[in-house]
Amino acid sequence: MGFLYVEVVLAVLVLGLCVVPAMEAVRNAVAAPNIVQDRAQALLCVKSQMETVLAEPYVNLNACGPVIAPSLAKLLTQDSACPVNVTIDCYDPNTAPPSVVLKDSGLLHVTVSSPDLSVSFTTLVTP
């Protein structure tokens, strides 16, 4: 009583169908630490730059446009290992949600983001 050829072919086919997803899972598990490490590094870079921006006096931040104060620009040098985008704008109550409208508040909208991994921090700075 041996196995029929059809039974052997079906068994090999079922094993082949099970091995492909298992190998894909192993490949993803091996690649995951690198992805997490890159994301963590980007998060630390963005956090560090946000802390640098928030440590500056309000007067240096209050450019309300694309120009950043020279003292702040020196601190935010573009490091090739830690590229970030820094945006400082006057807070516009017309674009704010209705529950947050504060006219003539002097608030600044500060955003620091990583262009590669879409990591960003946003905050409002008061005088």
Side-chain angles (χ1 to χ4, degrees), residues 69-92:
S71 62
L72 183 60
K74 289 178 186 175
L75 294 173
L76 298 175
T77 56
Q78 287 294 332
D79 183 3
S80 61
C82 187
V84 295
N85 296 327
V86 178
T87 306
I88 302 172
D89 294 315
C90 288
Y91 179 72
D92 185 5

Side-chain angles (χ1 to χ4, degrees), residues 20-61:
V20 171
M23 293 306 292
E24 182 72 18
V26 168
R27 185 183 65 83
N28 289 340
V30 169
N34 294 334
I35 294 169
V36 171
Q37 184 179 9
D38 292 344
R39 179 98 172 156
Q41 180 63 34
L43 189 62
L44 287 174
C45 288
V46 170
K47 181 182 175 188
S48 172
Q49 292 295 341
M50 178 60 92
E51 289 175 358
T52 301
V53 171
L54 295 179
E56 280 292 303
Y58 178 84
V59 174
N60 292 351
L61 298 177

Side-chain angles (χ1 to χ4, degrees), residues 99-119:
S99 62
V100 191
V101 172
L102 300 170
K103 295 187 178 184
D104 300 326
S105 62
L107 291 173
L108 297 177
H109 184 255
V110 179
T111 302
V112 179
S113 62
S114 172
D116 298 340
L117 298 173
S118 300
V119 177

